[in-house]
Amino acid sequence: MAAINNPNIELHIPKWINVEYFHDIVAKDIPEMESIVNFIPTAAIPPGENFTSVMVRLHFDLKMKDGSLKNKTYILKTMLDDDKGGELINKLALFPKEMQMYGEFLPAFENLYKAARWNIQLAPKCLLTEKKDNRINFVFEDLSERNFHNENRLKGLDMLQMQQALRKLAEFHAASAVYEQEHGPYPEDFKYSFVDTRHDLTYLKFRFDVTGTSYKKAMAQWGEWDKGEEYIKKFPTYEQYEKCVLASLEIPSNSFNVLNHSDFWCGNIMFSEISKEPLLVDFQGCKWGSPAVDLLFFLTLSPRADLRLKEFDNFVAIYHARLVECLKVLGYNKLPIPTLRSLHQDMYSKRNTFYAFFACFNHMPIMLWPTDKNSGIQNFSSPNEFGEQLRMKAYTNPNFVAIIKDIFTFYHQRGLFNFEDYK
């Protein structure tokens, strides 16, 4: 077996991840295989790159029927243990939703394009979706074998990558809208994403009280910035935050809606210089609603710093042009195709502010924090001194501060962060 890089040597790999478990999966994918000669599981990603699952790269040496040897890798995605944050993830039904996405909806979306004679792939090939012993598992093709990779989250995406990602997002959204037109509403789980009001909101308040207190404290250490004191004072109270969250669950039936990815940022997009067509991963949070959900989240988090605000409106226009093109070719006719004007209006709606704020409040501090074995969901939410130190390091990180002050100003000036509107 060739030299193997393990990006997280501290990842605990359960004993059930063994060669016997994967033999039939590999044999079905590669009929020319005679036997598995060697098998080594390693971490698939560095620590701090994923907070809702365990990602394992499966390395195989295969003996082929013609006597040759073949190296092959796959990606296994499985659930966190309860004491590592899995209990919260399970409450949000993230894995059951992703199982439906890979098992039913994504193949159907791609088939819509095939019927229109467009060859469009949205996500990696999924070889296995299963629920076994109360654990949901996926096995995917290893996109690195096709030279796909994640871009550096600390740098953000350049103009070409942004264009590619926005076009792919539009393709996903358009297919989801046409599928709903033909098959009716998605299951109830797809009404919710980061917050599920079918459960007690106690944890929502706990998270906000812990992290919000640290965040506001850190804001006072961001140095001088125009109207900074005013923006600190306007940081939402929990009552305003909760109403902002609840507003995000209001989905008018007479407006254009799509199935949002809901965690759409550069870490969940795989790029390839060869194909020029990115692929999307991690469909755990998908939610029915305005496309403004994904646009606000993505445009807040993922562009390169010098592009983020300068090209903001241009990015929306790039997405809209591809969305219209795809809706027309797929035969969408349930509602009028959204205009660019109506899309911008949706992005400023009180129903969608949560996704801009949550990106700034929850994702961006961690996204701009270098790889750290301690930056798990449990540690970051911990009310103890260790959790406080971790949060303050992230919230006062110069890379984060340099960007977040401009974003706060941008969204305040456009009215999105006027939380007093939530009365």
Side-chain angles (χ1 to χ4, degrees):
M1 182 169 284
I4 293 175
N5 172 47
N6 186 353
N8 184 3
I9 59 175
E10 296 191 13
L11 178 69
H12 171 69
I13 297 179
K15 292 182 179 180
W16 63 266
I17 299 178
N18 55 49
V19 68
E20 290 79 15
Y21 189 89
F22 298 101
H23 180 276
D24 291 347
I25 299 169
V26 179
K28 183 178 180 181
D29 186 48
I30 306 178
E32 303 83 9
M33 179 193 87
E34 180 178 290
S35 62
I36 297 175
V37 178
N38 200 7
F39 168 68
I40 298 178
T42 67
I45 54 177
E49 298 294 326
N50 184 290
F51 296 95
T52 61
S53 60
V54 176
M55 304 291 292
V56 179
R57 178 168 275 111
L58 310 169
H59 303 260
F60 294 93
D61 279 341
L62 308 177
K63 182 179 179 181
M64 310 302 286
K65 292 177 181 177
D66 63 5
S68 63
L69 289 177
K70 180 182 179 70
N71 301 120
K72 186 67 179 175
T73 56
Y74 299 94
I75 299 297
L76 168 71
K77 182 174 186 176
T78 189
M79 304 171 80
L80 294 170
D81 292 334
D82 285 353
D83 61 351
K84 304 294 185 187
E87 184 176 4
L88 170 63
I89 303 305
N90 293 340
K91 285 182 179 179
L92 296 175
L94 301 187
F95 271 81
K97 283 166 69 173
E98 190 162 36
M99 195 170 185
Q100 287 181 284
M101 289 301 299
Y102 278 106
E104 180 179 354
F105 299 134
L106 287 167
F109 296 170
E110 291 178 354
N111 284 335
L112 287 172
Y113 285 109
K114 287 180 182 177
R117 300 184 183 277
W118 280 19
N119 183 24
I120 288 181
Q121 184 178 358
L122 299 171
K125 178 184 176 183
C126 184
L127 287 81
L128 173 73
T129 60
E130 70 164 7
K131 185 173 183 180
K132 187 174 183 179
D133 300 327
N134 292 321
R135 181 182 290 272
I136 293 176
N137 305 316
F138 304 92
V139 176
F140 302 108
E141 65 169 316
D142 184 357
L143 290 174
S144 68
E145 292 193 330
R146 292 203 276 146
N147 295 303
F148 279 88
H149 62 277
N150 283 122
E151 288 300 317
N152 187 334
R153 59 184 167 85
L154 301 179
K155 294 181 178 180
L157 304 182
D158 64 25
M159 193 66 194
L160 177 59
Q161 292 161 345
M162 287 295 298
Q163 291 171 341
Q164 292 174 341
L166 287 164
R167 285 173 59 85
K168 186 59 64 176
L169 178 65
E171 292 164 6
F172 171 64
H173 281 175
S176 74
V178 172
Y179 184 89
E180 192 268 350
Q181 169 184 286
E182 296 181 355
H183 298 275
Y186 291 93
E188 186 180 8
D189 281 348
F190 290 86
K191 295 178 181 178
Y192 307 95
S193 181
F194 295 116
V195 178
D196 188 338
T197 53
R198 293 172 295 181
H199 303 294
D200 187 358
L201 292 180
T202 301
Y203 186 74
L204 180 73
K205 185 176 190 308
F206 166 76
R207 278 289 306 273
F208 183 84
D209 287 346
V210 170
T211 56
T213 300
S214 303
Y215 200 101
K216 195 171 181 180
K217 178 181 173 183
M219 291 177 74
Q221 301 177 32
W222 288 355
E224 293 187 11
W225 50 309
D226 187 37
K227 295 187 178 180
E229 291 185 7
E230 177 183 338
Y231 298 153
I232 294 173
K233 291 178 182 178
K234 288 187 174 182
F235 192 82
T237 63
Y238 171 72
E239 289 71 21
Q240 291 170 336
Y241 178 68
E242 181 181 297
K243 290 178 180 177
C244 179
V245 169
L246 296 178
S248 73
L249 303 178
E250 299 171 6
I251 313 296
S253 58
N254 61 347
S255 63
F256 176 76
N257 294 303
V258 299
L259 193 62
N260 285 277
H261 183 283
S262 292
D263 195 11
F264 192 67
W265 67 290
C266 59
N268 285 330
I269 308 167
M270 304 292 287
F271 291 91
S272 169
E273 284 77 13
I274 298 175
S275 74
K276 307 299 181 184
E277 289 286 333
L279 294 176
L280 312 184
V281 299
D282 199 353
F283 292 89
Q284 294 184 330
C286 292
K287 177 190 180 297
W288 184 249
S290 167
V293 168
D294 277 343
L295 285 172
L296 283 168
F297 200 76
F298 180 59
L299 299 185
T300 301
L301 291 173
S302 295
R304 206 171 61 192
D306 61 321
L307 300 174
R308 182 179 279 105
L309 306 184
K310 177 184 175 184
E311 300 289 344
F312 189 92
D313 292 337
N314 184 29
F315 289 145
V316 178
I318 291 169
Y319 164 86
H320 178 261
R322 184 59 170 169
L323 177 72
V324 171
E325 188 178 15
C326 293
L327 288 172
K328 287 180 177 179
V329 80
L330 294 179
Y332 179 79
N333 56 25
K334 182 178 179 181
L335 292 169
I337 290 178
T339 63
L340 183 57
R341 182 194 300 270
S342 67
L343 184 58
H344 276 289
Q345 289 172 335
D346 254 15
M347 294 181 72
Y348 296 115
S349 167
K350 287 170 60 178
R351 294 192 307 274
N352 299 314
T353 284
F354 169 70
Y355 295 94
F357 180 72
F358 197 63
C360 294
F361 178 54
N362 188 77
H363 282 62
M364 184 174 283
I366 302 173
M367 187 190 86
L368 293 176
W369 187 247
T371 297
D372 187 338
K373 65 180 181 180
N374 293 317
S375 56
I377 189 171
Q378 290 290 88
N379 289 338
F380 207 80
S381 304
S382 175
N384 60 25
E385 184 177 349
F386 179 78
E388 173 69 3
Q389 290 176 350
L390 187 66
R391 287 188 294 275
M392 290 304 292
K393 285 181 181 179
Y395 296 156
T396 58
N397 169 22
N399 292 335
F400 171 63
V401 173
I403 293 173
I404 194 63
K405 290 195 291 186
D406 287 341
I407 294 177
F408 260 79
T409 300
F410 183 78
Y411 282 144
H412 270 287
Q413 289 175 342
R414 293 182 168 216
L416 270 76
F417 283 3
N418 289 342
F419 293 99
E420 60 269 25
D421 295 345
Y422 296 95
K423 298 178 181 178

